């Protein structure tokens, strides 16, 4: 009995230990360490690195790859980050992140701070705590040099003006009545469109305007339409890190180090001396995120209509182009067949995003297309290569004996192809074409890179407006599903009806 009691006691002890271990594991999984949530400064020092988020796409002079050593990053913000990290006794570590999504990534704790031309705007101040500013900029309106009638934003009433999404310039243009705002993701593209006459003006920070826009002989600065500051953004809860970074930045200013950095990058001017005494921005007061409204829903439906139009037109182009490519490869002369094969391999072997960039921006000097036309043409040309493969499979599925029988009855090859082969090949290809249309519907979101505001782009714009991604994302997903589900059902139905059953 005593042995049995000892065994039970030992078993109970093991169970208790196991339970405690399981509880500890659960606590470790679901409970963040105190340093992660409450003392970011201690976490930075314990880790030995100050992780700062930015986007290399912003280019020179912010943060960019060294031209002769691509493994090394340079830029005035790289030097500022290293100076601040050194004062904290740690090492600076850059984290690449899309510029427009820096705030959500900061909130996800992907890095400790934002340092990348991050403007102190009302929208950002609602979610982020700022240190004192480290650079003061102005908003420059650039127009074509030949356009001598524009002297202020009001002169662009009813015309298209480009800028970056999520920037201070965007908020400025959005509040300007009568101006059609066109959003970009890069700093070069708006000036390319301005040169090509697809825009009447561009409003961006003076650093960007002077380095990417006004270096073009065909453009000129028309007016200064606003001003603002860059500062380091942190999570509002990281008060200790905010104070430490603000003190480090103040020390950098007092030691003349910030001025030396800005002078080295030819960015120092009188405005920078004026902001040297500006204090940190108080942490934001917690506010409730804005909700989706009927106005947002109307914009989503408009984006949906653009998505449907682009997808339908591009698919029509792809179906016709794919058939022509397939017939040329199978029945055309050798040089034509070779060119068709080359077309299919090139368009299938390169990303459609790259093709859109080349078509819209790369070929702009010789082929000036508007954004909508370029979107339809780019997607249609890309998908034509895939449709050609589907048609090829359909043509190969038709037994050669049927063609031979038609020819023996006196039909010409063209007539046999039209009456005997193609109807059967198309019957086999139809399910695949329907599936490709569903894929094209979703790939149409890529055309936002050439300024087309379709469904996904509208979702990103609304997410910034309402300061949240969940509700706009769910609405966007629901609309895509409403478009693709009927097509999916149609594709399955076609597969059941049209695909020949194996004997």
């Amino acid at each position: 009995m005593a042995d049995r009691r000892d065994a039970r006691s030992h078993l109970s002890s093991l169970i208790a230990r196991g339970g405690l271990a399981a509880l500890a594991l659960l606590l470790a999984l679901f409970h963040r360490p105190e340093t992660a949530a409450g003392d970011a400064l201690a976490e930075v020092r314990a880790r030995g690195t100050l992780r700062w988020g930015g986007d290399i796409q912003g280019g020179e002079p912010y943060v960019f790859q060294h031209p002769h050593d691509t493994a090394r990053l340079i830029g005035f913000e790289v030097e500022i980050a290293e100076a601040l990290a050194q004062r904290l006794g740690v090492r600076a570590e850059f984290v690449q992140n899309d510029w427009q999504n820096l705030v959500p990534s900061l909130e996800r704790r992907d890095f400790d701070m934002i340092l990348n031309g991050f403007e102190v705007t009302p929208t950002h101040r609602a979610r982020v705590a700022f240190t004192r500013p480290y650079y003061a900029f102005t908003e420059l309106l650039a127009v074509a040099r030949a356009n001598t009638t524009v002297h202020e934003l009001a002169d662009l009433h009813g015309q298209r003006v480009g800028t970056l999404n999520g920037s201070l310039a965007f908020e400025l243009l959005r509040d300007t009545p009568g101006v059609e705002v066109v959003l970009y993701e890069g700093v070069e593209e708006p000036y390319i469109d301005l040169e090509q006459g697809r825009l009447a003006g561009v409003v961006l920070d003076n650093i960007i305007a002077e380095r990417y826009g006004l270096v073009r002989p065909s453009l000129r600065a028309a007016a200064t339409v606003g001003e603002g500051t860059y500062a380091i953004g942190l999570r509002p809860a990281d008060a200790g890190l905010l104070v430490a970074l603000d003190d480090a930045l103040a020390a950098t200013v007092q030691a003349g180090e910030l001025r030396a950095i800005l002078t080295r990058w030819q960015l120092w001017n009188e405005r920078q001396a004026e902001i040297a005494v500006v204090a940190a921005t108080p942490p934001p007061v917690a506010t409730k995120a804005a909700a989706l409204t009927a106005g947002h829903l109307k914009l989503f439906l408009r984006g949906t209509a653009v998505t449907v139009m682009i997808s339908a037109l591009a698919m029509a182009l792809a179906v016709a182009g794919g058939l022509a490519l397939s017939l040329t490869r199978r029945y055309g002369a050798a040089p034509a067949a070779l060119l068709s094969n080359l077309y299919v391999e090139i368009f299938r072997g390169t990303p459609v995003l790259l093709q859109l960039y080349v078509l819209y921006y790369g070929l702009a000097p010789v082929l000036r297309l508007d954004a909508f036309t370029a979107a339809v043409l780019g997607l249609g040309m890309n998908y034509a290569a895939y449709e050609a493969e589907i048609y090829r499979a359909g043509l190969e599925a038709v037994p050669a004996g049927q063609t031979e029988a038609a020819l023996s009855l006196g039909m010409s090859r063209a007539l046999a192809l039209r009456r005997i082969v193609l109807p059967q090949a198309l019957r086999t290809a139809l399910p695949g074409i329907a599936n490709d249309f569903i894929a094209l519907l979703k790939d149409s979101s890529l055309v936002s890179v050439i300024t087309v505001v379709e469904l996904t782009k509208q979702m990103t714009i609304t997410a910034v407006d309402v300061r949240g991604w969940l509700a706009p994302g769910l609405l966007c997903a629901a609309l895509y599903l409403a478009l693709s589900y009927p097509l999916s059902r149609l594709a399955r139905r076609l597969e059941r009806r049209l695909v020949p059953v194996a004997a």
Side-chain angles (χ1 to χ4, degrees), residues 5 12 24 37 115 150 154 181 190 209 218 271 282 297 334 408:
R5 280 199 299 270
S12 300
L115 173 58
V150 176
V181 184
S218 61
R271 289 193 300 276
L297 180 59
S408 67

Side-chain angles (χ1 to χ4, degrees), residues 51 83 91 106 111 192 347 372 437 462:
R51 308 184 78 220
R91 180 173 54 84
L106 175 72
F111 39 77
I192 293 174
F347 276 84
F372 186 88
F437 188 41
T462 304

Side-chain angles (χ1 to χ4, degrees), residues 23 29 53 199 250 269 278 296 309 329 375 501:
L23 180 61
L29 287 173
L199 292 177
N269 52 41
V278 176
H296 289 126
M309 281 193 291
R329 293 168 76 188
V501 179

Side-chain angles (χ1 to χ4, degrees), residues 240-252:
L241 183 59
L242 174 64
V243 171
L245 282 172
D246 196 61
D247 290 345
L249 190 54
T252 305

Side-chain angles (χ1 to χ4, degrees), residues 195-371:
E195 278 191 316
Q196 297 301 319
R198 294 188 286 219
L199 292 177
V202 173
V203 177
L204 283 173
D205 302 355
N206 66 292
I207 293 181
I208 300 173
E210 290 164 358
R211 309 242 172 172
Y212 295 93
L214 301 180
V215 293
R216 301 165 188 266
S218 61
L219 305 183
R220 69 176 177 88
T224 298
V225 297
E227 58 184 15
T229 56
Y230 296 154
I232 299 170
L234 296 99
R235 291 176 289 272
D238 295 343
L241 183 59
L242 174 64
V243 171
L245 282 172
D246 196 61
D247 290 345
L249 190 54
T252 305
V253 172
Q254 290 173 1
E257 193 174 356
L258 179 61
R259 177 169 183 163
I261 292 172
L262 296 180
T263 301
R264 193 156 46 246
W265 289 94
Q266 301 177 348
L267 296 171
W268 181 260
N269 52 41
E270 293 181 356
R271 289 193 300 276
Q272 312 315 318
E274 295 173 1
I275 66 165
V277 295
V278 176
T281 304
V285 178
T287 56
K288 188 177 179 180
L292 289 178
T293 64
H296 289 126
L297 180 59
K298 185 177 178 182
L299 292 173
F300 268 80
L301 292 177
R302 188 167 69 182
T304 304
V306 173
T307 293
V308 171
M309 281 193 291
I310 288 176
S311 302
L313 292 173
M315 196 64 204
L317 180 62
V319 167
L323 180 59
L325 285 169
S326 185
L327 292 177
T328 305
R329 293 168 76 188
R330 190 174 179 87
Y331 301 107
L338 179 63
L339 288 176
S340 297
N341 274 322
L342 194 60
Y343 178 98
V344 171
E345 295 305 324
I346 289 175
F347 276 84
R348 285 202 313 164
T350 55
V352 64
L353 189 63
L354 171 65
Q355 294 162 20
L356 287 169
Y357 272 123
V358 171
L359 181 64
Y360 188 67
Y361 294 114
L363 297 180
V366 293
L367 182 64
R368 186 181 303 177
L369 300 171
D370 63 79

Side-chain angles (χ1 to χ4, degrees), residues 51-94:
R51 308 184 78 220
W52 61 287
D55 190 352
I56 298 176
Q57 189 181 358
E60 189 267 341
Y62 298 93
V63 50
F64 59 103
Q65 292 173 324
H66 192 286
H68 305 300
D69 182 5
T70 54
R72 181 182 161 205
L73 295 178
I74 56 175
F76 79 99
E77 289 178 332
V78 175
E79 297 186 18
I80 291 174
E82 290 173 348
L84 296 178
Q86 186 176 13
R87 290 183 184 279
L88 294 183
V90 296
R91 180 173 54 84
E93 179 183 345
F94 176 75

Side-chain angles (χ1 to χ4, degrees), residues 444-489:
S444 65
S445 62
L446 295 173
V447 303
S448 63
V449 299
I450 56 172
T451 77
V452 177
V453 182
E454 40 67 61
L455 185 51
T456 302
K457 186 66 176 179
Q458 184 57 56
M459 186 273 293
T460 62
I461 295 172
T462 304
V464 174
D465 286 344
V466 301
R467 303 172 197 168
W469 289 83
L470 184 59
L474 289 176
L475 178 57
C476 181
L479 289 170
Y480 270 116
L481 189 61
L483 293 175
S484 62
Y485 184 71
L487 291 172
S488 176
R489 299 288 298 174

